[in-house]
Amino acid sequence: MGKMMSAFLMLLSLNVSAQTLKSYSGQTLHGQEQINEQPTGNICYVVVRQVTSSETKGHHCFDIEAQFAFNNEQVSKDPVSLMSRVTNYHRSEYPAVKSCAADLDGKTSGQEIYGLNTDILYTPFFAATQKVGGTQYDYFLTIDPETKMPSRARVHVLKWFSERDYDCVNLKNLN
């Protein structure tokens, strides 16, 4: 009985902390592909492979392992691990206390970004960088404040003599 109660409390605490982000492992999203902010007419995908709470990094922080799928060979379809961005780096309590949350208006100035009332908070932004040879790939995932789900994905590809942005906009859930 004790193990069952511990497991229940752990699941309950994960559910509470996950309310600033409503993305989940196995989620598949689709959207409209853009290259350098110009629509291509193609559909693109983001597959969320895993969502992990990262409370050691800060309050309301998460890691997301995701795959970005564009109709272009320039963008790798390999999974990438994105980390939520710390939002309170400009505050006096940083770096002793960190948070990855913002209120639903995008503000990070109030004490609520450290609190448990996740109805008024969301985790707005995730990022990762990979270098392969002479090419740098910057991955971004933007979260919608109303749905608390991914709304836009971007891969910025920087090569020696060129630079491109691949966007997957207006993301919608397929599951």
Side-chain angles (χ1 to χ4, degrees), residues 13-61:
S13 71
L14 284 173
N15 187 32
V16 169
S17 68
Q19 290 180 359
T20 60
L21 176 68
K22 292 187 178 175
S23 190
Y24 52 88
S25 300
Q27 182 179 31
T28 301
L29 304 126
H30 70 99
Q32 292 127 12
E33 181 184 81
Q34 294 180 350
I35 297 177
N36 290 334
E37 301 186 3
Q38 299 299 314
T40 65
N42 294 322
I43 295 175
C44 48
Y45 299 90
V46 175
V47 178
V48 177
R49 296 171 55 98
Q50 187 172 3
V51 178
T52 310
S53 176
S54 185
E55 289 293 323
T56 56
K57 181 179 176 186
H59 298 283
H60 310 296
C61 295

Side-chain angles (χ1 to χ4, degrees), residues 107-164:
K107 296 178 184 166
T108 60
S109 55
Q111 288 300 107
E112 66 275 357
I113 66 171
Y114 307 114
L116 297 177
N117 185 1
T118 57
D119 291 340
I120 60 169
L121 300 174
Y122 78 114
T123 303
F125 193 71
F126 291 79
T129 297
Q130 290 181 337
K131 290 186 179 184
V132 180
T135 304
Q136 178 173 311
Y137 299 90
D138 297 305
Y139 297 86
F140 304 101
L141 194 58
T142 304
I143 307 302
D144 181 87
E146 290 179 24
T147 64
K148 300 182 185 181
M149 292 180 38
S151 60
R152 180 185 193 105
R154 171 173 276 189
V155 181
H156 179 79
V157 181
L158 180 61
K159 295 184 176 191
W160 289 106
F161 296 106
S162 68
E163 160 172 31
R164 283 214 150 140

